[in-house]
Amino acid sequence: MASLTHKDLLGIAQLSVEDIQLILDTADALKQVADRPVKKVPTLRGKTVINLFFEPSTRTRASFELAEKRLSADTLNFAASTSSVSKGETLLDTARNLESMAPDIIVIRHSSAGAPHLLSKECRSSIVNAGDGMHEHPTQALVDALTVREVKGHIEGLKIAIIGDIAHGRVARSDTMLFHKLGADVWACGPATLIPWEFHQLGARITGHIEEALDSADVVMMLRLQQERQTEAFVPSTREYFNFYGLTRERMRLAKKDTIVMHPGPMNRGVEIDSDVADASYSVILNQVANGVALRMAVLYLLSGHAPLRPRKPSR
Ligand code: CP
């Protein structure tokens, strides 16, 4: 089995199907570390990882930090609000200063699309994109693929409906590319104001009707309205939005009996999803969060140049 040959993980766009399978199989093999009495392996002992978060995060930041600790790496958490960024230092100068302290991997979340790519050109360290503006969130898409593969057993041929603010969500872009690469039938659904036409080129079928998206769907991925990125009123009100696009128990009857509901978080109950659905037995939202740690362990492990691990189950 080939190793990951990339220095960085910047986006799903750069990954081949073989790269994706390798990352998912490695995550599958590393999942068992969480079941051990001592949740730690020495694999990244002596390696330093800097978590550089310029935007808020709960799941991504916590799971990267746990992944690093479970692999025995030394970690430094850098919050832009308490750093010299607040005194006017640029991203590039900040990165160059941190790079001079010889980290091995820098994990970055930034509000500007392309910020990780800029660091990749400037830094010797491996760069991992933990979300760049409205562009990509590759590790979230890989988490989502790991979760679908675990629950459904395969991804090829599944109807995956991604519903919500497609335009401003980086998860929508990364999920669409990834699931399309793996042979799924990807649908993007939302108000016309929130679906860029380019999603056709990324491999999605587009609909403005939630009923059409839900019809015979195997996987329903709900996305929140990214109000912090919206520069104008794209929907009349959140109440109106819920009436047309909110996922309710009644609407779930349109999907298959074994449909699963996913959400990358943060979730806005009563805006894009009803609590009845978010907490239902068919919701795998917390499975996604749990898989986040193993998936990020796999990315750090492979970027550190380690040989592929043997998966516990054959890849599908
Ligand atoms: N899915 C995701 O990126 O969540 P956080 O913003 O909490 O990291």
Side-chain angles (χ1 to χ4, degrees):
M1 191 192 291
S3 301
L4 200 61
T5 51
H6 305 279
K7 169 183 153 294
D8 309 303
L9 176 58
L10 301 178
I12 297 301
Q14 72 170 154
L15 298 180
S16 66
V17 171
E18 291 71 32
D19 291 334
I20 293 167
Q21 301 286 13
L22 172 63
I23 295 169
L24 300 185
D25 287 347
T26 306
D28 200 26
L30 287 167
K31 250 191 111 163
Q32 47 82 24
V33 175
D35 301 329
R36 295 182 182 188
V38 178
K39 300 180 182 63
K40 221 170 176 62
V41 289
T43 321
L44 292 196
R45 189 183 288 156
K47 301 276 185 192
T48 304
V49 184
I50 296 181
N51 299 311
L52 191 53
F53 277 67
F54 289 86
E55 275 192 336
S57 168
T58 297
R59 283 146 288 268
T60 312
R61 186 172 169 158
S63 58
F64 265 113
E65 197 179 334
L66 274 179
E68 291 149 13
K69 289 187 191 323
R70 286 186 185 168
L71 291 170
S72 304
D74 295 314
T75 65
L76 173 72
N77 292 312
F78 179 98
S81 56
T82 53
S83 73
S84 289
V85 170
S86 62
K87 300 176 196 162
E89 191 162 62
T90 64
L91 167 65
L92 213 47
D93 279 329
T94 303
R96 281 176 181 150
N97 278 274
L98 293 172
E99 169 84 350
S100 67
M101 299 179 207
D104 297 283
I105 300 177
I106 297 176
V107 178
I108 177 172
R109 168 170 287 193
H110 200 278
S111 56
S112 296
H117 305 68
L118 183 68
L119 259 57
S120 160
K121 290 197 187 100
E122 291 290 323
C123 297
R124 176 201 51 81
S125 326
S126 288
I127 306 298
V128 181
N129 182 358
D132 62 325
M134 299 189 291
H135 181 222
E136 276 230 45
H137 194 348
T139 59
Q140 181 63 52
L142 288 159
V143 166
D144 297 343
L146 183 67
T147 308
V148 172
R149 193 177 81 160
E150 197 173 79
V151 179
K152 294 287 180 187
H154 65 103
I155 290 172
E156 190 172 359
L158 295 180
K159 177 176 177 181
I160 300 184
I162 304 173
I163 301 170
D165 184 352
I166 307 292
H168 300 97
R170 50 198 172 206
V171 176
R173 185 167 281 95
S174 292
D175 268 353
T176 298
M177 284 191 275
L178 188 151
F179 286 123
H180 178 64
K181 280 186 188 201
L182 296 183
D185 178 21
V186 184
W187 287 66
C189 173
T193 48
L194 292 175
I195 307 190
W197 195 242
E198 63 158 301
F199 270 73
H200 253 316
Q201 289 159 343
L202 297 181
R205 299 199 221 193
I206 292 176
T207 178
H209 303 286
I210 190 168
E211 293 77 13
E212 191 180 16
L214 291 175
D215 181 33
S216 304
D218 298 286
V219 176
V220 179
M221 175 78 66
M222 298 308 294
L223 301 178
R224 76 184 169 93
L225 290 173
Q226 307 255 322
Q227 284 168 332
E228 73 276 23
R229 299 190 208 285
Q230 296 180 3
T231 50
E232 53 192 278
F234 289 91
V235 294
S237 67
T238 51
R239 194 173 164 159
E240 185 94 346
Y241 179 81
F242 182 76
N243 285 341
F244 281 95
Y245 294 101
L247 190 61
T248 59
R249 215 159 32 176
E250 291 69 41
R251 284 193 167 131
M252 275 300 290
R253 294 202 182 104
L254 297 167
K256 287 183 176 169
K257 278 202 167 53
D258 62 349
T259 302
I260 56 169
V261 171
M262 304 179 75
H263 196 310
M267 185 162 62
N268 290 149
R269 291 170 187 259
V271 178
E272 73 273 10
I273 190 167
D274 225 350
S275 277
D276 282 355
V277 175
D279 302 328
S281 57
Y282 48 70
S283 163
V284 296
I285 293 169
L286 293 179
N287 302 44
Q288 290 170 267
V289 180
N291 279 335
V293 180
L295 189 284
R296 285 159 181 131
M297 285 171 79
V299 168
L300 298 166
Y301 174 92
L302 291 168
L303 287 179
S304 300
H306 289 281
L309 291 171
R310 189 185 295 276
R312 283 184 299 159
K313 291 176 283 185
S315 58
R316 299 167 212 259

